[in-house]
Amino acid sequence: MNLRSVDLNLLVVFDALLGELHVTRAANKVGLSQPAMSNALGRLRHIFNDELLVRTAAGMQATPRAVELANPVRQVLRQIEHVFESAPAFDPTTSTRHFNIRMSDVLAMLLLPKFLINLEKRAPAISVDISHTAPGETVEALERDELDLAVSMGLVHSTSVRSEFLMPDRMVCVMRKDHPLSKVKLTLTRFLAARHLRVAMSPTDLRFVDNILADEGHKRDVAMNIPHWLNIPMAVSHSDLISVMPERLALALDTNRMAVCDLPFTSAPFEWALYWHRRHDSNPAIIWLRELLKSACA
């Protein structure tokens, strides 16, 4: 294909269409009229020899070919953005840059309040997408330049990904304020005799609790698995279940209803960290963003 014959603005149109799955909403997103967007969709269908979007009873849906193209097109757009952002100067007070950051619900709870205050004061026109991806997917997204920064812990990555200490943390046990175990020393025997609420598939929970217990020949009596850390306070405050969670989050939540105590076994502390690709080592916008996130931990 001769690239000179292709309007690269069509990639912007494609990305909007795949994001919205609606011609009119996609047109509004990129500043086109509805007829112009329909025309652009027709041109895209011709270029890729595929319908890309098809109408169903549930609305417009992407074809398998469109889904296959989504990430490569988004990566190309990101690279083009970087070409035009190559100037060394970065002024957050006037920048309209869009950032993509990975963080979990735990970290969003801890960091976003102060981060948003600072963002509004220092960079009123900047926008941010927060996503929560699995550890392996996070590293891949950094490699593909789909993420500007990730906030996580213990990511296994190549030398192309950098990391920087953000803040220390440790796992603690939580239960309702008037739970019988809140009035006595929490021994390992009492801990194992209680029924537990566990965050399902959490690498933090597994690494710092379940794996340690398994090494000692023990196993928690898990009454319920839940998907998110922020579900814990409401669940334990209305039951006899106990749970384990990062101390920083436990103290940031409703401690009027939750008792917080040390684990009855040795569990090493861990560190939350910032991760980015080395291609951004000298990028003033990413450096500024890292400092903004670090200031949210102060």
Side-chain angles (χ1 to χ4, degrees), residues 121-132:
K121 286 180 180 178
R122 304 178 191 178
I126 280 177
S127 58
V128 179
D129 271 354
I130 303 292
S131 60
H132 185 189

Side-chain angles (χ1 to χ4, degrees), residues 11-218:
L11 297 182
V12 178
V13 169
F14 177 87
D15 188 55
L17 285 166
L18 265 289
E20 300 295 333
L21 296 178
H22 192 281
V23 172
T24 302
R25 288 199 300 268
N28 292 336
K29 185 174 183 178
V30 299
L32 291 178
S33 66
Q34 196 274 340
M37 178 59 77
S38 295
N39 178 265
L41 175 57
R43 294 167 65 192
L44 284 164
R45 284 169 169 165
H46 174 74
I47 291 169
F48 291 113
N49 193 28
D50 188 88
E51 284 298 296
L52 301 179
L53 290 180
V54 294
R55 194 174 300 280
T56 71
M60 298 291 278
Q61 297 292 325
T63 65
R65 174 63 171 151
V67 172
E68 177 187 335
L69 289 167
N71 280 336
V73 167
R74 193 166 295 118
Q75 187 171 355
V76 167
L77 290 174
R78 293 274 292 166
Q79 292 296 335
I80 292 172
E81 286 177 359
H82 291 332
V83 168
F84 290 99
E85 291 168 355
S86 58
F90 171 73
D91 184 357
T93 63
T94 58
S95 175
T96 58
R97 173 149 181 177
H98 182 85
F99 291 107
N100 292 287
I101 304 173
R102 182 271 184 200
M103 66 174 69
S104 66
D105 56 343
V106 174
L107 294 159
M109 177 78 183
L110 296 174
L111 300 181
L112 284 189
K114 190 170 182 181
F115 176 75
L116 285 171
I117 291 172
N118 291 336
L119 191 67
E120 289 179 344
K121 286 180 180 178
R122 304 178 191 178
I126 280 177
S127 58
V128 179
D129 271 354
I130 303 292
S131 60
H132 185 189
T133 52
E137 294 173 5
T138 297
V139 173
E140 291 174 4
L142 289 168
E143 297 274 9
R144 294 193 300 263
D145 206 23
E146 295 171 0
L147 287 172
D148 296 299
L149 279 180
V151 190
S152 188
M153 56 80 61
L155 292 187
V156 178
H157 56 82
S158 68
T159 55
S160 63
V161 174
R162 312 289 199 200
S163 66
E164 181 179 11
F165 169 80
L166 191 61
M167 57 184 175
D169 209 341
R170 65 179 188 137
M171 301 299 281
V172 294
C173 185
V174 296
M175 62 198 74
R176 73 170 194 271
K177 202 76 170 180
D178 59 348
H179 194 287
L181 290 181
S182 69
K183 300 174 175 60
V184 297
K185 179 177 175 58
L186 184 62
T187 63
L188 181 60
T189 300
R190 288 166 175 162
F191 180 85
L192 295 173
R195 304 210 74 196
H196 289 250
L197 179 74
R198 181 173 62 187
V199 178
M201 304 303 292
S202 165
T204 310
D205 229 2
L206 291 172
R207 178 177 173 184
F208 294 97
V209 181
D210 294 294
N211 289 353
I212 292 173
L213 291 174
D215 288 344
E216 298 176 359
H218 303 302

Side-chain angles (χ1 to χ4, degrees), residues 111 114-115 117-119 122 166 274 288-298:
L111 300 181
K114 190 170 182 181
F115 176 75
I117 291 172
N118 291 336
L119 191 67
R122 304 178 191 178
L166 191 61
L274 286 171
W288 174 85
L289 184 63
R290 282 160 41 198
E291 292 302 316
L292 199 68
L293 279 164
K294 287 192 290 185
S295 70
C297 301

Side-chain angles (χ1 to χ4, degrees), residues 252-274:
L253 295 171
D254 189 357
T255 52
N256 290 325
R257 289 187 298 173
M258 277 199 319
V260 180
C261 58
D262 293 338
L263 294 175
F265 53 89
T266 301
S267 177
F270 59 92
E271 297 178 349
W272 298 111
L274 286 171

